[in-house]
Amino acid sequence: MKPYVLLVEDEEALATLLEYNFQKEGFETSIAIDGEDALLQAEERTPDLIMLDWMLPKLSGVEVCRRLRRRKSTAKTPIIMLSARGDETDRVTGLDYGADDYMVKPFSMTELFARTRALLRRVSPTLLQDIIKLGDIEVDTKALRVKRADNAIHLGPTEFRLLDHLIRNPGRVFSREQLLDAVWGRDIYVEARTVDVHIGRLRKALKMPDRKDPIRTVRSAGYAFEAVND
Amino acid sequence: MKPYVLLVEDEEALATLLEYNFQKEGFETSIAIDGEDALLQAEERTPDLIMLDWMLPKLSGVEVCRRLRRRKSTAKTPIIMLSARGDETDRVTGLDYGADDYMVKPFSMTELFARTRALLRRVSPTLLQDIIKLGDIEVDTKALRVKRADNAIHLGPTEFRLLDHLIRNPGRVFSREQLLDAVWGRDIYVEARTVDVHIGRLRKALKMPDRKDPIRTVRSAGYAFEAVND
DNA sequence: TATAATTGTAATAAAGCTGTCACAAATTCA
DNA sequence: TGAATTTGTGACAGCTTTATTACAATTATA
């Protein structure tokens, strides 16, 4: 659904400012106040983007960056480093250790988002796309609309998020637990079988004569979205 | 329709920044990375405005400018030159060769758009029209008037701003919080539910027999304006 | 100043969505 | 084949979200 950015910044004022602006741009956000916190949070939920301050308590930004790169889950996650110092040495060091871009404080939010967009467009374009199309199915994430073969389809919020998640990872099989985490949220407890019911509702909503079911059931594993006819 | 700006800029960061800001101002954009590319693109679709970097690979900005002026289709198209150098000589050269305005890098986006507006107002005022039309609904942002199917509709200030905001972003779903930010202002605190009431008033005011409600409710998400019959 | 228009809130009604269960159907495996 | 496991689906109660109304307070207008 929304791209998730981890903001690693110990200065509270800047962290809040970043949070506010990223949320306005449609990101989900989380703040880490030091390097250790950052590593923990990144492990718990893999971010789609990391904003990483250079100067941090406990672990330096560079060190955090190196460790993030060593982990499989975050090896390719886009990282933008923030630094008060702007000299070339720092820039080079930051980029050497695996940051994708570099901003010198103070910076304009406009420029930050221009760069963010550029970076995400390069690395994971589906995150920025408003309209995701697969086969004859179309999901418009800005307008929150779904179409199949140009027919508008009405979905409830949960079915929408479910479809959104599945269609962004076509072919991949998700267990019920994974779907609960991704669609319902980590801290919400509902029966795993509830997923079945929503999958059923989604299937029913997407059903059209002469078109095959885009959702595949993988017995004793979960569900997956399949590219479809057309 | 939206005005179309051709951004001729080889430096990627700046090009992205410009693109982002022009899009935010409601322009359609295209980027050309060198002079030849610019001439090709301008031929394919005549821009309403051209931002032209002075220093370009292959063909210089001045040369591009001269050639654009020689073509009938772009002879009068407004051109703003961008240059790193700010001395008078360049300025004169640029303007001599037919640029309409001239900005020295680095420049503020605010100033750029102030000049852009001034230029477009002078050359092609219709592009900056204050009247937004969508389907059978017409919003005159200067005169603060609204019509539907040629019937004048009276709205209170808040409903007007609400409609104005929604109609400028047709299809897009806004949460109540986003609407409060955009319509009421960031620092004003009112209940999120108040939005519902104003949406209701707006709907009532826009209601006409045999015409459907242009405002879509998206459950657990917000509201969106939809293109309508006619 | 009196009158009208506009605004935000709260209360209530209406609509829509969700999660669970029970049982049917399908699939697997011995 | 038959038992066990897994999945599909309809029903439904409870819950959440939205629409609408009324009203008091504020602001504009004559």
Side-chain angles (χ1 to χ4, degrees):
Chain A
M1 188 72 208
K2 285 183 185 177
Y4 170 56
V5 57
L6 179 60
L7 307 168
V8 189
E9 172 61 62
D10 62 309
E11 199 188 320
E12 204 186 317
L14 181 55
T16 314
L17 183 64
L18 284 171
E19 182 177 42
Y20 176 79
N21 279 284
F22 269 101
Q23 288 181 354
K24 217 176 66 177
E25 289 286 316
F27 285 74
E28 261 188 86
T29 60
S30 180
I31 294 177
I33 53 165
D34 61 46
E36 283 180 13
D37 191 13
L39 290 171
L40 271 170
Q41 289 203 40
E43 190 159 26
E44 197 163 301
R45 176 171 175 196
T46 308
D48 301 305
L49 171 70
I50 299 172
M51 302 290 307
L52 183 56
D53 191 7
W54 180 274
M55 298 285 288
L56 283 173
K58 304 194 185 174
L59 283 175
S60 79
V62 179
E63 187 52 32
V64 173
C65 192
R66 278 176 50 189
R67 298 206 192 174
L68 285 171
R69 286 302 183 228
R70 262 194 252 125
R71 287 189 195 159
K72 204 167 181 187
S73 65
T74 49
K76 307 225 161 167
T77 305
I79 297 177
I80 298 181
M81 293 272 275
L82 304 176
S83 164
R85 296 174 288 171
D87 65 15
E88 201 58 23
T89 324
D90 278 16
R91 181 178 191 101
V92 171
T93 317
L95 297 181
D96 271 354
Y97 283 108
D100 297 280
D101 206 342
Y102 190 97
M103 303 271 310
V104 178
K105 295 194 229 175
F107 48 82
S108 85
M109 285 298 152
T110 314
E111 186 183 354
L112 174 59
F113 285 113
R115 288 183 185 237
T116 300
R117 268 165 208 285
L119 190 55
L120 288 183
R121 190 170 302 127
R122 183 149 54 77
V123 180
S124 46
T126 47
L127 274 179
L128 285 179
Q129 241 162 31
D130 300 343
I131 297 176
I132 301 160
K133 270 191 204 173
L134 207 67
D136 57 0
I137 295 178
E138 211 178 300
V139 177
D140 184 331
T141 55
K142 272 248 165 61
L144 303 186
R145 278 182 175 293
V146 175
K147 283 192 195 177
R148 180 166 196 183
D150 283 327
N151 299 95
I153 283 171
H154 178 84
L155 296 179
T158 308
E159 278 87 50
F160 185 89
R161 290 198 304 276
L162 186 55
L163 173 60
D164 185 61
H165 183 71
L166 290 172
I167 206 172
R168 277 177 197 273
N169 300 281
R172 182 167 158 198
V173 178
F174 292 96
S175 70
R176 294 179 176 71
E177 286 70 27
Q178 288 176 314
L179 290 173
L180 286 176
D181 269 8
V183 176
W184 275 256
R186 211 156 281 267
D187 35 1
I188 289 171
Y189 180 73
V190 293
E191 286 293 323
R193 292 298 315 279
T194 298
V195 173
D196 296 28
V197 177
H198 282 278
I199 288 282
R201 288 173 181 157
L202 183 52
R203 278 178 167 146
K204 195 169 160 191
L206 290 175
K207 187 143 83 181
M208 288 187 69
D210 301 327
R211 311 239 165 195
K212 77 167 201 268
D213 182 5
I215 297 170
R216 181 164 64 103
T217 301
V218 183
R219 193 159 228 269
S220 75
Y223 298 97
F225 192 91
E226 303 285 84
V228 202
N229 42 351
D230 180 315
Chain B
M1 204 49 221
K2 284 185 185 177
Y4 170 57
V5 57
L6 179 60
L7 306 168
V8 190
E9 171 62 61
D10 62 310
E11 198 189 319
E12 203 186 316
L14 181 56
T16 315
L17 186 63
L18 284 170
E19 181 178 44
Y20 175 77
N21 280 284
F22 269 102
Q23 289 180 354
K24 218 175 63 176
E25 288 286 316
F27 286 74
E28 263 187 84
T29 60
S30 180
I31 294 176
I33 53 166
D34 61 47
E36 282 179 13
D37 190 13
L39 290 170
L40 272 170
Q41 289 203 39
E43 189 160 27
E44 200 161 298
R45 176 172 175 195
T46 309
D48 301 305
L49 171 69
I50 299 170
M51 303 290 307
L52 182 57
D53 192 7
W54 179 274
M55 300 283 289
L56 284 172
K58 303 195 183 171
L59 282 175
S60 78
V62 180
E63 186 53 31
V64 173
C65 191
R66 279 176 50 190
R67 298 206 193 174
L68 285 171
R69 285 303 183 226
R70 262 195 251 124
R71 289 189 193 158
K72 205 168 181 186
S73 66
T74 50
K76 308 225 158 168
T77 304
I79 297 177
I80 297 181
M81 293 273 275
L82 302 176
S83 164
R85 296 174 289 171
D87 63 16
E88 201 57 25
T89 325
D90 278 13
R91 180 179 191 101
V92 171
T93 317
L95 297 181
D96 273 354
Y97 282 107
D100 296 280
D101 206 340
Y102 190 98
M103 302 273 307
V104 178
K105 294 193 228 175
F107 47 82
S108 84
M109 286 297 150
T110 316
E111 185 184 353
L112 174 59
F113 286 112
R115 287 182 185 239
T116 301
R117 270 191 287 272
L119 188 54
L120 287 182
R121 190 168 303 125
R122 179 149 56 79
V123 180
S124 46
T126 46
L127 277 177
L128 287 177
Q129 71 195 153
D130 331 305
I131 298 178
I132 302 162
K133 266 193 206 174
L134 208 67
D136 57 0
I137 294 178
E138 213 178 299
V139 178
D140 185 331
T141 54
K142 273 267 161 46
L144 304 184
R145 284 182 188 290
V146 176
K147 283 194 200 176
R148 181 166 196 183
D150 283 327
N151 300 94
I153 283 171
H154 176 81
L155 295 179
T158 307
E159 278 88 49
F160 184 87
R161 289 199 305 276
L162 186 55
L163 173 59
D164 184 59
H165 183 70
L166 290 172
I167 206 171
R168 278 176 196 275
N169 300 281
R172 182 164 164 196
V173 176
F174 293 96
S175 70
R176 286 168 236 278
E177 286 71 25
Q178 288 177 315
L179 290 173
L180 286 175
D181 269 10
V183 176
W184 275 256
R186 198 162 292 182
D187 37 359
I188 289 172
Y189 180 73
V190 292
E191 285 294 322
R193 297 255 131 245
T194 298
V195 174
D196 298 29
V197 177
H198 283 278
I199 288 281
R201 288 172 181 156
L202 183 52
R203 277 178 168 146
K204 196 168 159 193
L206 290 175
K207 186 143 82 181
M208 289 186 68
D210 302 327
R211 311 241 165 194
K212 75 168 203 268
D213 182 5
I215 297 171
R216 178 168 70 110
T217 301
V218 182
R219 192 159 231 267
S220 80
Y223 298 97
F225 191 92
E226 304 286 87
V228 201
N229 41 353
D230 179 314

